Amino acid sequence: MRSGAVRRAGLALLGLALGQTFAVFGRKSRVQLKRATHRQPEEQEEAFPPKLDAWEAEVENDESFGENQLDAPEEASTRRLSGTTLPKDEEESLDVELEALACQVLPSKEDQLRKVKIWKELQDISQLVLGKDAEVWPFGSSANGCGERDADMDMVVSHPARPDRNKRDKVSALCALGEVCDVQGFVVHELRSSSKVPILILEKDGFDIDVSYNNLLPLLNTRLLRSYTLLNPRLSVVALAVKRWAKAHHIAKSYEGFISSYAWTLMVVYYFQISRQLPCLHALVGEETPIDFAARFATLEEAHEAWMNSPPPWSCAQLLRGFFDFYANEFDWKQDVVSVRLGQRNSTIRSRRLIQLKNKRMHLHIEDPIDIRRNLNFALTKQTADT
């Protein structure tokens, strides 16, 4: 299939997959999640993302922001984790530290409202410059539930009237947006027109904002991760701790020869799946292995119904220790693939796509769960992999 046809097919699937509503800038408790997933199907089929004023009202009325939304695990005794045990006092101490960290750096209600305000302003500017059919959608760490309160805002301007504009037209559109943003209170830092995906870099109210144009595929990655954080809120806390650890050891930047924060997050999701703390949303739809884009995965409603009898939840401390133990002692760095799309150990799975992925490079294979042609170890070298 030619690249243009692949892209059009991928975007067509993307349009179908973005029908499930989820809270872009908020964290829902388990009670809220159960209430949301028991609505009638027609109530679930809002366009993604929902209207800005609806989410602004939700954040303002949600009293759960800033509270501890992590239910205590049902088993209080020491639990076996990947061949190791975690004494009860150590587990409780680590849980306290993780909860304190989460309260300190995860977004508060006020943080969310500030970002919603910026989102609304960019939406108004985009419609002023490009027309009423232009929309601004958030993606990345500020929207997927795994980002810190000061995380950059990644925004994409969607212009359905001209979905296939070439790079020159994309740069021109971003330039026009930048000119208006400059007189509307935004700081315009630069327009990276030579990048593979042109980016307009802005700043407002202390947040760095990266704006792209008709770059829609990352919305699927965001929706996928957001769904997982809603299914198990501990994912946000453990991913936060792992990414902080990786950054402290200087092994979280792809431009320095390592893997990205996004790749570390996928490693955490995969460990949750292997430990039966999360389902595999792709597996729930039962689709055959796609050629290039795995754009179909279960909605929150489907996942909740399939996960009603899930195992008792582990504590954040158990999950964090288990994460390190799994990748240090069980995961085969040459034969296994971190595949959130499959959600299971796969060293013996004879998948042509996985084999192709592993043949590209050695060391720590991480499949992008949406664009499955991408191995997210692309920046690793022998030296950085050893590190």
Side-chain angles (χ1 to χ4, degrees), residues 10-175:
L11 291 176
L13 288 172
L14 176 132
L16 294 173
L18 290 178
Q20 172 65 31
T21 300
F22 67 91
V24 175
F25 284 126
R27 289 181 297 142
K28 288 184 179 290
S29 65
R30 286 175 179 268
V31 174
Q32 290 173 300
L33 174 60
K34 290 179 180 178
R35 185 166 63 241
T37 53
H38 279 88
R39 295 171 185 160
Q40 295 301 314
E42 58 268 21
E43 296 180 87
Q44 295 272 344
E45 296 302 318
E46 289 186 52
F48 171 84
K51 297 299 182 182
L52 282 166
D53 52 357
W55 282 125
E56 186 173 22
E58 175 174 330
V59 174
E60 289 177 338
N61 296 328
D62 187 354
E63 298 179 356
S64 66
F65 278 104
E67 298 177 359
N68 177 23
Q69 300 181 12
L70 306 178
D71 306 327
E74 295 181 15
E75 297 179 21
S77 59
T78 301
R79 192 192 315 273
R80 187 170 180 80
L81 268 185
S82 305
T84 66
T85 56
L86 189 62
K88 187 174 184 295
D89 57 343
E90 290 185 22
E91 177 188 328
E92 291 177 350
S93 176
L94 182 54
D95 259 337
V96 170
E97 290 188 48
L98 289 170
E99 180 178 342
L101 176 64
C103 290
Q104 179 183 356
V105 302
L106 287 178
S108 66
K109 180 196 299 186
E110 291 72 22
D111 298 319
Q112 308 292 4
L113 287 173
R114 287 167 60 205
K115 291 189 174 182
V116 169
K117 180 175 179 290
I118 294 172
W119 179 12
K120 290 180 68 174
E121 292 176 5
L122 281 175
Q123 175 81 17
D124 292 341
I125 292 172
S126 296
Q127 293 186 346
L128 176 67
V129 174
L130 302 172
K132 292 296 184 181
D133 58 343
E135 294 183 271
V136 176
W137 293 355
F139 66 95
S141 58
S142 283
N144 63 24
C146 294
E148 300 187 19
R149 63 176 50 177
D150 59 352
D152 295 353
M153 296 178 64
D154 295 304
M155 314 294 281
V156 56
V157 178
S158 169
H159 196 195
R162 298 293 299 273
D164 292 320
R165 284 189 169 185
N166 58 40
K167 186 175 180 179
R168 179 181 298 177
D169 289 336
K170 292 180 179 180
V171 171
S172 177
L174 290 174
C175 185

Side-chain angles (χ1 to χ4, degrees), residues 115-238:
K115 291 189 174 182
V116 169
K117 180 175 179 290
I118 294 172
W119 179 12
K120 290 180 68 174
E121 292 176 5
L122 281 175
Q123 175 81 17
D124 292 341
I125 292 172
S126 296
Q127 293 186 346
L128 176 67
V129 174
L130 302 172
K132 292 296 184 181
D133 58 343
E135 294 183 271
V136 176
W137 293 355
F139 66 95
S141 58
S142 283
N144 63 24
C146 294
E148 300 187 19
R149 63 176 50 177
D150 59 352
D152 295 353
M153 296 178 64
D154 295 304
M155 314 294 281
V156 56
V157 178
S158 169
H159 196 195
R162 298 293 299 273
D164 292 320
R165 284 189 169 185
N166 58 40
K167 186 175 180 179
R168 179 181 298 177
D169 289 336
K170 292 180 179 180
V171 171
S172 177
L174 290 174
C175 185
L177 287 172
E179 291 177 356
V180 178
C181 285
D182 188 42
V183 297
Q184 294 291 332
F186 288 81
V187 177
V188 180
H189 286 297
E190 64 175 309
L191 173 58
R192 295 181 180 172
S193 57
S194 60
S195 302
K196 181 179 179 181
V197 176
I199 299 292
L200 175 65
I201 301 177
L202 308 172
E203 183 181 340
K204 182 75 180 286
D205 295 341
F207 292 113
D208 293 326
I209 310 157
D210 294 349
V211 182
S212 57
Y213 182 85
N214 276 342
N215 176 40
L216 301 180
L217 206 56
L219 295 175
L220 278 175
N221 302 73
T222 297
R223 176 182 163 246
L224 179 66
L225 290 181
R226 184 66 194 164
S227 297
Y228 280 125
T229 61
L230 290 176
L231 287 167
N232 190 340
R234 292 173 181 79
L235 175 62
S236 298
V237 180
V238 177

Side-chain angles (χ1 to χ4, degrees), residues 220-269:
L220 278 175
N221 302 73
T222 297
R223 176 182 163 246
L224 179 66
L225 290 181
R226 184 66 194 164
S227 297
Y228 280 125
T229 61
L230 290 176
L231 287 167
N232 190 340
R234 292 173 181 79
L235 175 62
S236 298
V237 180
V238 177
L240 167 67
V242 168
K243 290 191 291 183
R244 281 242 165 175
W245 166 83
K247 290 175 182 177
H249 289 277
H250 308 289
I251 53 174
K253 295 179 179 178
S254 55
Y255 62 81
E256 293 181 353
F258 295 97
I259 62 175
S260 65
S261 291
Y262 171 58
W264 282 109
T265 301
L266 291 178
M267 290 176 67
V268 177
V269 175

